[in-house]
């Protein structure tokens, strides 16, 4: 049995919750406490200033140890740093009865849980491994920066791509994409809409052009 999970912010919340409903259970986190209060800032917080500075500050505050804070401190996550965290996450998952291969292009991931009691326990384990290994911070940021280096609003381009691909009506907007799962307004089958959305998320400006 497999589940799909997304690290914080990979998809807009409406889309993430829709996936959770389909899969029965899904784990994700947001960088705030349960009361909605802002995270406290460590005294050694670096002077983050790039396009992803706010998220680097949040993730630095939530990092589990000095090694992960070191990866984040220069506002650059290298391939080697991401691979180190990915391997630590894989070992954590495997040691607790889950199977995991690698993160997908957007930082989400699939995992199997045949050796544990069910999806609830599997998601608890996955969340624990995300937090303890730093995958919750490092791998999420690594993939998001690769997708969108300048941290711009990609929703208009993704919506236009979906229209161009013919899976949503011609009057479909960025707000529609932000507020609702694509398949709720798709004029094609759900599976086709999901596959098209993934292609548009990968390359919103170039996909489905001729």
């Amino acid at each position: 049995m497999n589940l799909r999970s997304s690290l914080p912010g990979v998809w807009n919340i409406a889309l993430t919750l829709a996936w959770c409903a389909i899969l029965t259970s899904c784990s994700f986190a947001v960088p705030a406490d349960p009361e909605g209060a802002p995270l406290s800032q460590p005294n050694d917080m670096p002077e983050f200033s790039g396009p992803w500075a706010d998220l680097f500050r949040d993730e630095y505050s939530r990092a589990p140890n000095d090694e992960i804070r070191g990866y984040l401190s220069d506002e650059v996550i290298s391939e080697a740093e991401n691979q180190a965290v990915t391997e630590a996450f894989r070992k954590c998952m495997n040691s607790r009865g889950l199977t995991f291969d690698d993160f997908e292009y957007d930082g989400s991931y699939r995992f199997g849980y045949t050796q544990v009691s069910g999806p609830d326990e599997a998601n608890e384990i996955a969340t624990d491994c995300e937090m303890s290994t730093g995958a919750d911070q490092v791998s999420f940021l690594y993939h998001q920066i690769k997708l969108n280096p300048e941290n711009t609003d990609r929703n208009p381009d993704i919506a236009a791509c979906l229209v161009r691909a013919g899976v949503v009506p011609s009057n479909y907007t960025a707000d529609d994409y932000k507020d609702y799962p694509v398949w709720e307004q798709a004029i094609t089958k759900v599976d086709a809409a999901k596959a098209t959305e993934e292609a548009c998320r990968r390359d919103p400006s170039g996909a489905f052009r001729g």
Side-chain angles (χ1 to χ4, degrees), residues 11-188:
W11 295 336
N12 62 64
I13 292 300
L15 185 55
T16 303
L17 292 177
W19 266 110
C20 291
I22 288 172
L23 296 174
T24 303
S25 181
C26 181
S27 65
F28 64 97
V30 293
D33 70 21
E35 301 300 322
L39 293 165
S40 60
Q41 303 299 316
N43 293 331
D44 63 346
M45 176 69 68
E47 293 293 331
F48 296 119
S49 60
W52 289 89
D54 288 345
L55 199 51
F56 267 98
R57 279 190 285 270
D58 288 343
E59 301 300 357
Y60 190 92
S61 297
R62 300 169 60 244
N65 54 53
D66 287 342
E67 180 180 35
I68 299 304
R69 281 187 285 273
Y71 289 170
L72 300 173
S73 63
D74 60 357
E75 217 164 345
V76 174
I77 298 172
S78 69
E79 173 69 19
E81 290 168 341
N82 177 62
Q83 285 301 317
V85 170
T86 299
E87 182 59 25
F89 180 70
R90 183 182 296 113
K91 288 180 178 179
C92 180
M93 297 281 274
N94 292 346
S95 71
R96 298 179 65 181
L98 304 185
T99 59
F100 163 79
D101 292 324
D102 204 351
F103 291 102
E104 298 185 25
Y105 74 98
D106 58 357
S108 63
Y109 61 97
R110 299 176 187 275
F111 61 95
Y113 63 92
T114 56
Q115 298 182 51
V116 300
S117 63
D120 289 342
E121 182 185 1
N123 276 313
E124 289 179 7
I125 293 170
T127 298
D128 286 346
C129 287
E130 287 176 15
M131 298 300 294
S132 65
T133 64
D136 196 46
Q137 293 81 33
V138 173
S139 294
F140 166 61
L141 273 168
Y142 174 81
H143 289 92
Q144 288 299 291
I145 292 169
K146 284 188 68 175
L147 272 179
N148 187 7
E150 297 304 315
N151 195 19
T152 57
D153 181 5
R154 301 170 76 238
N155 290 329
D157 289 337
I158 294 173
C161 179
L162 292 167
V163 171
R164 194 163 62 240
V167 300
V168 292
S170 59
N171 62 347
Y172 186 82
T173 67
D175 285 340
D176 292 327
Y177 179 69
K178 182 173 63 176
D179 294 338
Y180 305 100
V182 170
W183 53 86
E184 284 192 1
Q185 300 186 52
I187 54 178
T188 61

